Amino acid sequence: MIKKSVYELLKSDGLLPQEVQVKGWVRTFRSNRFIALNDGSTIHNIQCVIDFESTTEETLKRINTGAAIAIKGNLTESQGKGQTVEIQVSEIEILGDSNPDAYPIQPKKHSLEFLRENAHLRVRTNTFSAIMRVRSKLSFAVHQYFQENGFNYVHTPIITGTDAEGAGEMFRVTNFKDNEAPVNEEGEIDFTKDFFGKETNLTVSGQLEAETFAMALGKAYTFGPTFRAENSNTTRHLAEFWMIEPEVAFMDLEGNMDLAEDFIKCVLKSILKSCKDDLAFLDQRLTQEEKSKPQAERSDMSLIEKLRFVADNNFKRISYTEAIDILRNSKPNKKKKFQFPIHEWGADLQSEHERFLVEKHFKCPLILFDYPADIKAFYMRLNEDGKTVRAMDVLFPGIGEIVGGAQREERYDVLVEKMKKMNIDEKELWWYLDLRKFGTAVHSGFGLGFERLVQFTTGMNNIRDVIPFPRTPQNADF
Ligand code: ATP
Ligand code: MN
């Protein structure tokens, strides 16, 4: 007898009938006869048809939604509608009971909010199992893309001793016990007595360390957890998220934009191939959800159409300055519809502006480049105009910023000057400055929030629904 996953069983037409064995969880049980069994290997269930002679009344009562069972039987062509094969059960064993009155995941539609509160069980639903399988395949596609293109995977530290990364508020890492942090003569906490002998935090980005690898191995990338203690309760921010950060020597901003675009297109194409069933399900789900929106807000493309569109069309590229002109003259700006009206060059773009450009004006992914130096990080390369830097953001429909990157400042003097202006301690970043002293060269890279990519790929509106156990303000359950 062959032990198989549901995925394998559903693909095995042609070799029937066949004695098989399978284990999984009961999704539904109807008419005391038909079990829909799922083992997580696919979005689809296998139908198991009970043979009364081999089953006791006692066992029948224990076939409840959520129960773990083992089935032996004959895999045959299905008589009924809706499936090609089914198992004629000869033996059934209850491995783990599930009390139907207490099990939270009933065979009905649950709200995403309710499922978030039951995150330990939500992956047993169609929606979340599909999302998490896509997430897994996506992370594989990320590695595959970089590995096939000569990049080295670098594990940058999670505990960092620099607070100059500048990407956001940080979580402190300390070994001081409650109320026992020693203070120095100035009355400040004396971190020299802490575990690392200095103040340490959870990293907000692996970029600075990844640059050291790019300047030795040529092409490097990180893909790991990052932490931001920002109190932003949005559908696009987590306190703990996974970031992908390639960094490449001898590559300028042009090359950086090409890399970001090619990378995103390639991983989407890979998912369109490897996750057909899950995407078909998520496509349906999104279409249903869209129906509850007012006509004007509905997307005119289905999920799969959107993914194809992005994978097959060039991203639009415009400078920050061009974007400001478009925004300044836009209808919502003139009619004072923006919460933050655009008056002049130099304004930081808010999510409402980014979404206007992507969703209303260009209707395609957009790369903005050459931002004002004042609104971007210290390490971005200054342009000849002296007021803009070689920064780029990739903006996506429904998501907003998905990538933030730049050509890095490779000139020692310019970088030091910039750090002084922005009050960044040179001593602390001595090693980063060393890269500009010894064999410096043009180099570039970007950061892509993995969850935002998963959001786009699965069509999920809230970032909390694309990571197994979301960490957000006031929430670290599970
Ligand atoms: P945003 O303006 O959306 O807050 P950011 O400018 O802070 O983004 P970067 O510091 O450039 O973002 O980080 C690179 C990428 O990491 C972003 O483009 C985004 O995809 C992702 N990202 C940033 N902050 C978060 C967060 N709190 N949760 C999830 N992803 C994030
Ligand atoms: Mn941010």
Side-chain angles (χ1 to χ4, degrees):
M1 192 170 302
I2 319 163
K3 252 191 209 156
K4 280 190 168 175
S5 68
V6 172
Y7 175 78
E8 291 167 318
L9 290 173
L10 292 175
K11 281 189 13 175
S12 47
D13 47 333
L15 303 160
L16 306 177
Q18 196 186 116
E19 284 297 310
V20 294
Q21 207 181 332
V22 63
K23 291 175 186 174
W25 294 270
V26 176
R27 281 295 174 82
T28 58
F29 184 39
R30 46 182 189 89
S31 315
N32 254 352
R33 198 164 148 74
F34 303 103
I35 303 172
L37 189 73
N38 191 284
D39 68 351
S41 59
T42 159
I43 186 91
H44 302 297
N45 305 324
I46 183 121
Q47 172 155 290
C48 307
V49 187
I50 304 242
D51 166 9
F52 286 113
E53 279 155 31
S54 57
T55 324
T56 62
E57 195 63 32
E58 159 74 18
T59 304
L60 283 178
K61 278 201 199 114
R62 294 171 64 195
I63 307 174
N64 295 312
T65 298
I69 62 172
I71 294 275
K72 284 182 186 167
N74 201 7
L75 185 71
T76 58
E77 251 168 71
S78 175
Q79 310 302 312
K81 269 194 193 155
Q83 64 272 323
T84 51
V85 294
E86 64 190 18
I87 301 175
Q88 301 294 332
V89 177
S90 57
E91 212 183 304
I92 177 166
E93 187 189 347
I94 310 288
L95 303 172
D97 282 292
S98 172
N99 177 351
D101 299 324
Y103 186 53
I105 311 294
Q106 295 296 318
K108 63 161 195 175
K109 196 170 154 44
H110 291 292
S111 74
L112 294 171
E113 290 78 10
F114 171 82
L115 291 171
R116 245 169 256 151
E117 287 161 15
N118 289 280
H120 59 309
L121 298 171
R122 67 177 178 173
V123 70
R124 297 187 189 190
T125 63
N126 282 335
T127 299
F128 283 90
S129 68
I131 295 167
M132 294 308 159
R133 273 188 300 267
V134 170
R135 185 182 165 109
S136 166
K137 286 275 192 260
L138 254 179
S139 69
F140 180 69
V142 168
H143 284 296
Q144 193 169 30
Y145 178 88
F146 288 123
Q147 294 292 334
E148 285 176 0
N149 285 287
F151 285 73
N152 294 282
Y153 183 28
V154 41
H155 299 108
T156 49
I158 288 172
I159 299 174
T160 177
T162 50
D163 63 1
E165 285 161 345
E169 292 295 307
M170 301 178 108
F171 289 102
R172 181 172 296 164
V173 176
T174 179
N175 239 16
F176 289 147
K177 301 287 172 294
D178 303 341
N179 304 321
E180 276 177 24
V183 288
N184 59 21
E185 282 158 17
E186 281 92 56
E188 293 160 345
I189 295 178
D190 184 3
F191 287 107
T192 61
K193 301 218 167 66
D194 205 349
F195 188 90
F196 296 104
K198 65 188 296 195
E199 186 184 345
T200 49
N201 294 287
L202 293 180
T203 186
V204 293
S205 155
Q207 177 205 320
L208 304 190
E209 288 94 348
E211 280 186 50
T212 69
F213 268 55
M215 296 310 282
L217 301 179
K219 293 176 170 185
Y221 74 104
T222 72
F223 183 5
T226 45
F227 307 85
R228 297 192 183 178
E230 44 195 20
N231 204 357
S232 44
N233 267 302
T234 74
T235 55
R236 301 170 300 113
H237 288 91
L238 291 165
E240 175 182 285
F241 65 100
W242 287 65
M243 183 133 73
I244 298 154
E245 296 178 278
E247 201 65 40
V248 184
F250 314 116
M251 185 176 79
D252 63 8
L253 189 71
E254 206 68 33
N256 205 17
M257 292 195 263
D258 291 345
L259 176 65
E261 181 168 344
D262 188 56
F263 167 72
I264 294 174
K265 286 176 172 173
C266 281
V267 296
L268 290 184
K269 277 182 195 154
S270 158
I271 292 307
L272 280 164
K273 259 197 219 134
S274 66
C275 296
K276 285 204 172 82
D277 288 358
D278 287 323
L279 285 183
F281 174 83
L282 292 166
D283 185 280
Q284 283 288 313
R285 195 204 76 83
L286 190 62
T287 305
Q288 280 302 321
E289 194 182 81
E290 291 270 307
K291 279 184 191 153
S292 64
K293 289 186 189 166
Q295 189 79 38
E297 285 170 35
R298 283 184 211 166
S299 167
D300 43 10
M301 273 190 248
S302 77
L303 176 63
I304 292 174
E305 283 167 343
K306 262 189 261 183
L307 299 180
R308 287 243 158 75
F309 180 84
V310 171
D312 295 337
N313 288 285
N314 290 338
F315 296 5
K316 180 84 188 159
R317 301 179 186 189
I318 62 166
S319 70
Y320 165 89
T321 304
E322 290 170 83
I324 285 290
D325 281 341
I326 293 169
L327 287 167
R328 211 189 277 147
N329 296 317
S330 69
K331 246 193 216 157
N333 200 49
K334 287 184 167 158
K335 291 190 170 168
K336 304 208 165 20
K337 289 273 162 63
F338 284 141
Q339 196 190 338
F340 300 90
I342 297 284
H343 296 304
E344 54 197 318
W345 193 93
D348 202 356
L349 298 186
Q350 304 294 326
S351 149
E352 56 179 347
H353 308 128
E354 297 176 344
R355 295 188 69 157
F356 171 82
L357 290 169
V358 174
E359 288 160 25
K360 299 277 177 329
H361 192 84
F362 288 108
K363 296 188 165 60
C364 75
L366 180 63
I367 309 184
L368 294 186
F369 57 90
D370 286 349
Y371 280 77
D374 291 345
I375 58 170
K376 289 288 182 186
F378 74 95
Y379 49 71
M380 300 190 176
R381 194 186 195 282
L382 195 64
N383 276 312
E384 302 315 315
D385 63 12
K387 57 176 194 171
T388 59
V389 286
R390 300 245 77 191
M392 65 163 203
D393 278 3
V394 181
L395 311 178
F396 257 46
I399 307 280
E401 181 187 327
I402 191 162
V403 167
Q407 185 175 320
R408 316 305 187 191
E409 185 55 76
E410 84 283 14
R411 297 164 297 182
Y412 181 85
D413 296 341
V414 182
L415 187 57
V416 168
E417 179 84 0
K418 192 76 161 295
M419 287 168 73
K420 282 204 180 102
K421 226 167 107 185
M422 294 190 164
N423 271 327
I424 292 162
D425 191 359
E426 282 164 60
K427 278 195 241 87
E428 204 188 315
L429 284 180
W430 63 275
W431 54 274
Y432 188 70
L433 284 165
D434 261 8
L435 299 180
R436 279 73 182 167
K437 276 197 211 156
F438 309 114
T440 192
V442 165
H443 65 287
S444 305
F446 61 79
L448 180 147
F450 183 57
E451 283 73 21
R452 294 200 186 164
L453 182 63
V454 183
Q455 264 189 288
F456 182 76
T457 312
T458 57
M460 297 306 289
N461 177 52
N462 195 320
I463 198 163
R464 292 156 209 227
D465 295 331
V466 299
I467 188 164
F469 300 104
R471 300 294 181 241
T472 51
Q474 297 300 309
N475 172 35
D477 282 341
F478 308 103

